[in-house]
PDB file of all heavy atoms in Angstrom:
ATOM      1  N   ARG S 102     103.573  89.320 122.527  1.00 92.00           N
ATOM      2  CA  ARG S 102     103.283  88.501 123.694  1.00 92.00           C
ATOM      3  C   ARG S 102     101.799  88.569 124.038  1.00 92.00           C
ATOM      4  O   ARG S 102     101.385  88.518 125.230  1.00 92.00           O
ATOM      5  CB  ARG S 102     104.144  88.954 124.862  1.00 92.00           C
ATOM      6  CG  ARG S 102     105.658  88.925 124.522  1.00 92.00           C
ATOM      7  CD  ARG S 102     106.409  87.860 125.239  1.00 92.00           C
ATOM      8  NE  ARG S 102     106.615  88.224 126.631  1.00 92.00           N
ATOM      9  CZ  ARG S 102     107.566  89.066 127.082  1.00 92.00           C
ATOM     10  NH1 ARG S 102     108.416  89.623 126.229  1.00 92.00           N
ATOM     11  NH2 ARG S 102     107.659  89.330 128.356  1.00 92.00           N
ATOM     12  N   TYR S 115     103.830  87.347 135.924  1.00 74.00           N
ATOM     13  CA  TYR S 115     104.937  87.697 135.049  1.00 74.00           C
ATOM     14  C   TYR S 115     106.177  86.841 135.359  1.00 74.00           C
ATOM     15  O   TYR S 115     106.812  86.305 134.471  1.00 74.00           O
ATOM     16  CB  TYR S 115     105.230  89.199 135.221  1.00 74.00           C
ATOM     17  CG  TYR S 115     106.313  89.774 134.365  1.00 74.00           C
ATOM     18  CD1 TYR S 115     106.088  90.043 133.013  1.00 74.00           C
ATOM     19  CD2 TYR S 115     107.566  90.101 134.887  1.00 74.00           C
ATOM     20  CE1 TYR S 115     107.075  90.576 132.217  1.00 74.00           C
ATOM     21  CE2 TYR S 115     108.556  90.649 134.096  1.00 74.00           C
ATOM     22  CZ  TYR S 115     108.309  90.889 132.758  1.00 74.00           C
ATOM     23  OH  TYR S 115     109.290  91.453 131.990  1.00 74.00           O
ATOM     24  N   TYR S 165     117.079  91.443 123.542  1.00 98.00           N
ATOM     25  CA  TYR S 165     116.253  90.263 123.209  1.00 98.00           C
ATOM     26  C   TYR S 165     117.019  89.322 122.283  1.00 98.00           C
ATOM     27  O   TYR S 165     116.436  88.409 121.726  1.00 98.00           O
ATOM     28  CB  TYR S 165     114.940  90.706 122.545  1.00 98.00           C
ATOM     29  CG  TYR S 165     113.964  91.367 123.480  1.00 98.00           C
ATOM     30  CD1 TYR S 165     113.549  92.670 123.247  1.00 98.00           C
ATOM     31  CD2 TYR S 165     113.434  90.701 124.591  1.00 98.00           C
ATOM     32  CE1 TYR S 165     112.633  93.309 124.089  1.00 98.00           C
ATOM     33  CE2 TYR S 165     112.547  91.308 125.438  1.00 98.00           C
ATOM     34  CZ  TYR S 165     112.133  92.609 125.176  1.00 98.00           C
ATOM     35  OH  TYR S 165     111.251  93.223 126.009  1.00 98.00           O
ATOM     36  N   HIS S 198     120.150  91.453 130.088  1.00 97.00           N
ATOM     37  CA  HIS S 198     118.698  91.656 130.265  1.00 97.00           C
ATOM     38  C   HIS S 198     118.075  90.417 130.890  1.00 97.00           C
ATOM     39  O   HIS S 198     117.238  90.500 131.774  1.00 97.00           O
ATOM     40  CB  HIS S 198     118.059  91.979 128.898  1.00 97.00           C
ATOM     41  CG  HIS S 198     116.631  92.408 128.974  1.00 97.00           C
ATOM     42  ND1 HIS S 198     115.805  92.373 127.888  1.00 97.00           N
ATOM     43  CD2 HIS S 198     115.895  92.929 129.977  1.00 97.00           C
ATOM     44  CE1 HIS S 198     114.586  92.830 128.216  1.00 97.00           C
ATOM     45  NE2 HIS S 198     114.627  93.165 129.485  1.00 97.00           N
ATOM     46  N   SER S 343     106.079  93.855 129.317  1.00 94.00           N
ATOM     47  CA  SER S 343     105.606  94.553 130.513  1.00 94.00           C
ATOM     48  C   SER S 343     105.026  95.944 130.219  1.00 94.00           C
ATOM     49  O   SER S 343     104.456  96.568 131.090  1.00 94.00           O
ATOM     50  CB  SER S 343     106.735  94.704 131.535  1.00 94.00           C
ATOM     51  OG  SER S 343     107.737  95.584 131.075  1.00 94.00           O
TER      52      SER S 343
HETATM   53  N1  DI6 L 520     112.085  95.345 132.710  1.00 69.97           N
HETATM   54  C1  DI6 L 520     110.992  95.530 131.959  1.00 69.97           C
HETATM   55  O1  DI6 L 520     110.006  96.074 132.285  1.00 69.97           O
HETATM   56  C2  DI6 L 520     111.270  95.000 130.613  1.00 69.97           C
HETATM   57  N2  DI6 L 520     112.618  94.585 130.735  1.00 69.97           N
HETATM   58  C3  DI6 L 520     113.018  94.791 131.959  1.00 69.97           C
HETATM   59  O2  DI6 L 520     114.143  94.523 132.327  1.00 69.97           O
HETATM   60  C4  DI6 L 520     110.374  93.849 130.315  1.00 69.97           C
HETATM   61  C5  DI6 L 520     110.865  93.032 129.159  1.00 69.97           C
HETATM   62  C6  DI6 L 520     109.935  91.968 128.743  1.00 69.97           C
HETATM   63  O3  DI6 L 520     109.115  91.449 129.529  1.00 69.97           O
HETATM   64  O4  DI6 L 520     109.997  91.587 127.562  1.00 69.97           O
END
Side-chain angles (χ1 to χ4, degrees):
R102 304 250 285 280
Y115 182 75
Y165 289 119
H198 189 200
S343 68

